[in-house]
Amino acid sequence: MHQDTRNQQCVDQWKGWIEQYKTRIDKDASNYTGDYGSARLKEQKKSNPVVVPRNHVLQRAIDRAELGDYSMARRLLEVFENPYELQSCTDKWMTERSVGGAAAVT
């Protein structure tokens, strides 16, 4: 299959999915009494954690703990006790990792 044809198929499939999604949202909203947007956001927040444990962060905490420094492990425990709530977790090590010597945001 030619690449342009494949690309167009992907675009068409994506557009079809978006239309189905919009139809579903419109249908759900029409059957809901109250503020549908707020209710939907509340459900999403219950299903999607703000913080997700990343292997590289967990491994760094394990490595430090093995050397006797439990501060990172304690901080991770604090954060992961309420993963669905927005917290003041601005710790740089929670969001960055090194990839080929350069910082990459996860």
Side-chain angles (χ1 to χ4, degrees):
M1 177 182 307
H2 192 271
Q3 185 63 34
D4 290 339
T5 303
R6 177 72 181 127
N7 288 346
Q8 188 59 50
Q9 284 181 337
C10 289
V11 168
D12 292 344
Q13 288 175 348
W14 181 244
K15 286 180 179 179
W17 181 88
I18 289 174
E19 285 304 315
Q20 288 178 343
Y21 183 71
K22 286 170 58 178
T23 300
R24 162 99 188 265
I25 296 298
D26 291 344
K27 180 181 175 186
D28 289 350
S30 69
N31 293 329
Y32 189 83
T33 56
D35 184 357
Y36 177 72
S38 294
R40 191 164 173 262
L41 182 60
K42 184 178 178 182
E43 284 300 311
Q44 287 178 346
K45 285 183 176 182
K46 288 188 333 189
S47 304
N48 299 294
V50 174
V51 181
V52 177
R54 302 285 184 196
N55 286 340
H56 65 277
V57 175
L58 298 174
Q59 188 60 54
R60 199 171 321 149
I62 291 166
D63 292 345
R64 287 185 182 181
E66 288 176 343
L67 295 172
D69 178 3
Y70 294 92
S71 61
M72 192 172 183
R74 285 189 198 102
R75 178 66 179 128
L76 285 173
L77 182 59
E78 282 178 34
V79 171
F80 294 129
E81 283 178 340
N82 297 299
Y84 296 94
E85 295 177 17
L86 186 59
Q87 304 172 38
S88 61
C89 61
T90 56
D91 304 78
K92 191 173 185 175
W93 51 263
M94 294 281 295
T95 58
E96 288 187 0
R97 65 187 171 100
S98 177
V99 176
V105 177
T106 58

